[in-house]
């Protein structure tokens, strides 16, 4: 095993404490031969100190299974590549590495006819990788939409249920250990983007990397936006969306994107609270499926890792070809965000006077966009004695490019004091 942090310590302890039960399930004993760490003198309760080492290459050589829990790109990539080349199956929870080199590593596993399992890399203990790769292998997956970052879901849930502002909700997440001292990867959407890349690669058999994923975080979400969404029957969630696009201005392709979006409160994902994760899959024959559970933490992630270990160990005992046969289709390109079809909810601070609605409607007409719903409420009188109003607009479906241009032009109108918020809507 490479790495022995929170998850690694849990895995090592369970491998040793549950050795008899695991042997019964596999048909052969699992022997933990080495645990590669930086500091072998550090105390690790539940982990046999005699297997600790700093020599990663020596630990890998000859191993039937290598569990990689180091994280990061290097040296993890080099070590995994070495393990696969020598015929070792690999179990990893390394979302950053898979998001950068999924196709390359899968091809290496295929060449050596071994397994590269990664259930723990997306949504912790929630079984999503194996259902998508195996259970739905005979189906066509059209869309995956998920809450795959527990930190941001906790923050947005507290803003919605408790009325907190963003900073208060983030501080609570850090106090509870859901958010790191530097939460940028979570609140910036980058953690979710890595998972979106992995899910897209797996579901659509295409080499999607994190660089292909459009990413927007939640730092711009305000208490007022959350309250406005609630008034309209929506909740705001940070969503990872992966889908096949058959018709767009840029042609057919794939879309992989992460952004905060409005969900109707009747949608199954709207009921996902706290730091939990859920993934909603839409398949041609199976229809809609949802997978829900704890998305992070030492014990849940260790459960997913051990599930993969048992799977590859059984295959080792029984024999047969190792890796899935997953032909990748590099011609399946990922489309830019501008080409996707979406809906916007736009909140404008406008001057309350005749002609405002006509001016706004003219901009929509010019851009070929249309308004589905318009709601106006009287606002405050400013220091100049001018009466303001809040204008909330829900659009019909259109390309993101057309709606983005519409918003830009609305902001230039004399009657619009500010574009207070713009947020996409999903699940309708």
């Amino acid at each position: 095993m490479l790495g022995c942090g929170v998850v690694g310590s849990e895995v090592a302890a369970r491998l040793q404490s549950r050795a008899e039960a695991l042997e019964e399930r596999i048909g052969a004993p699992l022997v933990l031969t080495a645990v590669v760490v930086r500091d072998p003198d550090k105390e690790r309760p539940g982990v046999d100190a005699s297997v600790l080492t700093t020599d990663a290459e020596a630990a890998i050589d000859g191993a039937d299974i290598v569990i990689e829990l180091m994280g990061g790109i290097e040296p993890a990539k080099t070590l995994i590549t070495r393990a696969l080349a020598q015929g070792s199956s690999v179990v990893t929870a390394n979302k950053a590495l898979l998001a950068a080199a999924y196709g390359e590593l899968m091809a290496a596993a295929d060449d050596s006819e071994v397994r590269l399992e990664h259930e723990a890399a997306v949504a912790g203990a929630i079984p999503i990788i194996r259902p998508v790769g195996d259970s739905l292998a005979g189906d066509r997956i059209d869309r995956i939409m998920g809450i795959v970052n527990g930190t941001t879901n906790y923050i947005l849930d507290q803003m919605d249920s408790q009325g907190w502002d963003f900073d208060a909700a983030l501080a609570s997440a850090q106090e509870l250990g859901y958010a790191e001292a530097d939460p940028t990867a979570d609140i910036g959407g980058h953690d979710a983007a890595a998972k979106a890349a992995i899910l897209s690669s797996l579901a659509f058999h295409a080499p999607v990397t994190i660089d292909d994923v459009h990413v927007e975080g939640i730092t711009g979400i305000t208490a007022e936006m959350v309250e406005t969404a609630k008034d309209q029957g929506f909740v705001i969630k940070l969503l990872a969306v992966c889908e096949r696009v058959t018709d767009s201005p840029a042609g057919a392709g794939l879309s992989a994107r992460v952004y905060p979006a409005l969900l109707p409160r009747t949608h199954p994902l709207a009921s996902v609270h706290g730091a939990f994760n859920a993934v909603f899959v839409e398949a041609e024959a199976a229809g809609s499926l949802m997978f829900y559970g704890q998305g992070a933490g030492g014990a849940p992630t260790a459960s997913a890792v051990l599930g993969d270990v048992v799977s590859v160990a059984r295959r080792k005992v029984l024999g047969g070809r190792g890796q899935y046969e997953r032909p990748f289709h590099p011609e399946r390109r990922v489309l830019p965000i501008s080409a996707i079809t979406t809906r916007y909810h736009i909140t404008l601070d406008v001057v309350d006077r005749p002609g405002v609605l006509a001016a706004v409607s003219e901009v929509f007409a010019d851009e070929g966009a249309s308004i589905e719903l318009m709601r106006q409420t009287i606002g405050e009188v400013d220091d100049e004695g001018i009466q303001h109003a809040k204008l909330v607009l829900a659009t019909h479906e259109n390309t993101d490019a057309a709606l983005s241009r519409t918003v830009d032009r609305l902001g230039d109108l004399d009657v619009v004091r500010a574009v207070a918020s713009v947020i996409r809507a999903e699940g309708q």
Side-chain angles (χ1 to χ4, degrees):
M1 187 170 72
L2 308 175
C4 196
V6 174
V7 177
S9 296
E10 189 79 31
V11 170
R14 287 173 182 259
L15 280 172
Q16 294 172 122
S17 67
R18 304 190 65 248
E20 188 174 327
L22 292 173
E23 182 177 351
E24 288 178 359
R25 295 179 183 182
I26 293 165
L30 276 177
V31 180
L32 185 59
T33 57
V35 178
V36 179
V37 295
R38 288 194 183 93
D39 179 10
D41 296 323
K42 180 180 176 181
E43 189 139 340
R44 294 174 174 84
V47 181
D48 183 357
S50 67
V51 299
L52 300 178
T53 179
T54 58
D55 192 339
E57 293 185 356
I60 287 172
D61 290 345
D64 291 316
I65 303 169
V66 174
I67 305 171
E68 185 274 310
L69 299 172
M70 304 172 71
I73 306 297
E74 289 292 356
K77 183 180 179 182
T78 297
L79 295 173
I80 286 177
T81 302
R82 179 188 179 98
L84 295 172
Q86 72 166 10
S88 301
S89 287
V90 173
V91 173
T92 180
N94 194 333
K95 57 182 173 287
L97 176 56
L98 291 172
Y102 190 94
E104 179 184 346
L105 294 174
M106 281 297 178
D110 236 15
D111 290 343
S112 296
E113 298 189 0
V114 294
R115 306 284 284 187
L116 173 59
E117 298 288 6
H118 51 286
E119 187 68 72
V122 179
I126 302 174
I128 185 63
I129 297 298
R130 196 167 287 115
V132 169
D134 284 353
S135 304
L136 297 174
D139 207 338
R140 170 191 165 100
I141 294 175
D142 293 317
R143 199 168 196 261
I144 297 176
M145 183 166 69
I147 297 167
V148 294
N149 181 271
T151 300
T152 52
N153 197 57
Y154 174 83
I155 291 170
L156 293 172
D157 187 46
Q158 294 303 108
M159 292 176 73
D160 180 76
S161 62
Q162 304 299 320
W164 293 352
D165 64 18
F166 177 83
D167 289 338
L170 172 58
S172 176
Q174 290 173 318
E175 184 178 340
L176 292 171
Y178 296 147
E180 302 288 342
D182 179 2
T184 305
D186 292 321
I187 63 176
H190 308 295
D191 174 82
K195 296 167 183 176
I198 296 168
L199 286 171
S200 297
S201 297
L202 177 65
F204 307 133
H205 308 288
V208 180
T209 72
I210 193 169
D211 293 334
D212 297 316
V213 182
H214 175 83
V215 187
E216 297 174 27
I218 65 167
T219 53
I221 301 300
T222 65
E224 183 179 3
M225 291 172 67
V226 172
E227 191 61 32
T228 299
K230 185 184 294 188
D231 290 344
Q232 297 173 31
F234 294 98
V235 63
I236 299 176
K237 297 290 188 182
L238 182 72
L239 299 178
V241 183
C242 317
E243 67 178 343
R244 297 179 190 267
V245 178
T246 57
D247 184 24
S248 84
L254 307 175
S255 175
R257 55 196 192 266
V258 170
Y259 45 57
L262 297 173
L263 273 177
R265 288 185 177 268
T266 53
H267 193 281
L269 288 176
S271 63
V272 179
H273 300 295
F276 277 72
N277 285 188
V279 180
F280 195 78
V281 179
E282 298 174 27
E284 186 177 55
S288 298
L289 309 167
M290 192 167 90
F291 303 83
Y292 168 85
Q294 294 189 53
T301 306
S303 172
V305 170
L306 286 169
D308 281 345
V309 170
V310 169
S311 176
V312 298
R314 278 177 176 165
R315 186 171 294 269
K316 183 75 175 178
V317 170
L318 296 173
R321 181 174 173 82
Q323 191 54 29
Y324 301 116
E325 293 186 37
R326 290 178 181 152
F328 266 44
H329 302 283
E331 73 278 5
R332 292 181 181 170
R333 61 199 181 100
V334 181
L335 301 174
I337 188 71
S338 59
I340 71 155
T341 300
T342 186
R343 298 171 185 262
Y344 275 19
H345 278 238
I346 307 162
T347 302
L348 304 175
D349 177 4
V350 300
V351 177
D352 186 23
R353 72 182 189 211
V356 171
L357 299 184
V360 168
S361 298
E362 184 179 354
V363 169
F364 272 84
D366 286 348
E367 294 298 337
S370 61
I371 301 170
E372 179 180 20
L373 176 69
M374 181 182 297
R375 180 182 298 173
Q376 181 172 325
T377 56
I378 300 302
E380 299 178 351
V381 176
D382 63 22
D383 294 340
E384 299 173 3
I386 298 173
Q387 178 71 57
H388 287 233
K390 181 169 79 171
L391 189 61
V392 179
L393 308 167
T395 77
H396 282 108
E397 283 191 346
N398 209 319
T399 64
D400 201 85
L403 294 175
S404 180
R405 288 195 306 269
T406 302
V407 171
D408 288 343
R409 287 192 56 190
L410 289 173
D412 292 336
L413 292 176
D414 292 339
V415 294
V416 175
R417 290 303 178 95
V419 178
S421 68
V422 178
I423 189 165
R424 297 176 184 88
E426 295 284 353
Q428 295 178 301

